[in-house]
Amino acid sequence: MIRHMSSFTRSLELLPLSLNWIENDFYFGTGKGLSAVNKATGKVVLTTNSANDTDVDVAVQSAQKAFKTFRQLTPSERGNLILKAASLLEERATDFAHLETLDTGKPFYESEMDVGTGVDALRFIGGIIQNYHGKHYDDGGNFGYTSREPLGVIGCIGPWNYPLQTACWKLAPALACGNSVVYKCSEYTPLSTVALASLLKDAGFPSGVFNVVAGDGSTGAALTAHQGISKISFTGSVPTGKRVRNK
């Protein structure tokens, strides 16, 4: 892993050790080289390795293992974890906005708005999930009930233009419902998603519940084709969406 100088001093201090996150720690992929670029200057600020098929498999296996115990938490317990994450993101909003501006090139005030809407999404889902339950039916002496069950490992593929905001939109409902997640961030804007993974660890999320794999379309293809994935959440272009659908 090679670090490069950045014109944004604070953003440089926030750079992750790697662009992949598995088992609640930075994971050094074994795929081809991947660089994060300061969009204002075009200079590379971080170079590491992307996730290849083997690394994606490691992430999915980690998520499958974590799912077995994470699904046993009550909706209230999972909701409280998400609410804690919302509070931490709100506390660190300025740092995340610095990182988002470095990575996307958008004005700082827009990055602040994106962080704020991410906080809103986490707080909303963390609150409503605590009332998310099945129904009881009285049938004249007999009764029936429905039970809402998590699906398993959710594979998420995020876009380049709203990386942090979209990550919050995707992970919050998936985790709230008791699923685990493997998140493929855009290779063009990966920084805030990895930082968010570290924040979830600080909020108390167990190891393996949220994993990040970084890379180009080949990483996404490995994720969508993996037999351990129960559902895909995709945001991106129509042609790529068609390829995802056909997996």
Side-chain angles (χ1 to χ4, degrees):
M1 187 273 296
I2 305 170
R3 286 184 181 274
H4 302 268
M5 289 302 295
S6 166
S7 60
F8 296 94
T9 303
R10 181 55 184 154
S11 300
L12 183 63
E13 295 171 352
L14 299 169
L15 288 177
L17 297 176
S18 172
L19 299 176
N20 302 288
W21 179 272
I22 300 176
E23 293 281 351
N24 261 359
D25 203 356
F26 294 110
Y27 177 89
F28 296 93
T30 54
K32 57 189 176 183
L34 180 65
S35 297
V37 177
N38 180 342
K39 300 306 187 296
T41 64
K43 293 182 179 180
V44 173
V45 295
L46 177 71
T47 299
T48 184
N49 289 89
S50 62
N52 60 16
D53 292 16
T54 300
D55 302 318
V56 170
D57 184 57
V58 172
V60 173
Q61 288 190 44
S62 171
Q64 288 177 316
K65 179 181 177 181
F67 172 68
K68 294 177 183 178
T69 53
F70 187 65
R71 67 176 300 174
Q72 302 300 326
L73 297 183
T74 66
S76 179
E77 289 171 326
R78 295 193 298 266
N80 286 336
L81 287 173
I82 295 172
L83 290 174
K84 176 63 174 177
S87 296
L88 289 178
L89 184 56
E90 189 171 51
E91 291 172 10
R92 304 174 190 178
T94 300
D95 282 350
F96 270 85
H98 276 297
L99 203 57
E100 196 79 331
T101 289
L102 172 72
D103 210 20
T104 64
K106 62 179 62 179
F108 184 74
Y109 77 88
E110 286 192 18
S111 295
E112 288 183 305
M113 292 171 59
D114 291 350
V115 176
T117 55
V119 172
D120 290 343
L122 294 175
R123 192 157 282 154
F124 176 75
I125 296 296
I128 65 170
I129 194 61
Q130 307 200 30
N131 293 310
Y132 192 69
H133 47 71
K135 294 183 179 180
H136 175 272
Y137 299 91
D138 188 351
D139 190 25
N142 298 314
F143 73 91
Y145 67 91
T146 61
S147 176
R148 298 182 182 271
E149 301 291 335
L151 292 173
V153 181
I154 308 301
C156 299
I157 300 177
W160 63 268
N161 51 349
Y162 292 93
L164 178 67
Q165 184 186 69
T166 308
C168 291
W169 289 352
K170 290 180 182 293
L171 72 87
L175 298 180
C177 291
N179 303 287
S180 56
V181 171
V182 178
Y183 197 101
K184 189 271 181 191
C185 52
S186 169
E187 68 270 32
Y188 302 114
T189 52
L191 295 177
S192 60
T193 306
V194 183
L196 182 61
S198 180
L199 181 146
L200 293 180
K201 176 183 178 180
D202 293 342
F205 278 88
S207 176
V209 169
F210 183 75
N211 304 280
V212 177
V213 290
D216 59 16
S218 62
T219 305
L223 182 63
T224 57
H226 199 290
Q227 294 302 303
I229 297 296
S230 299
K231 187 179 181 65
I232 290 289
S233 171
F234 168 79
T235 302
S237 69
V238 171
T240 303
K242 289 180 178 179
R243 290 196 294 272
V244 170
R245 180 196 60 191
N246 293 331
K247 286 293 185 180

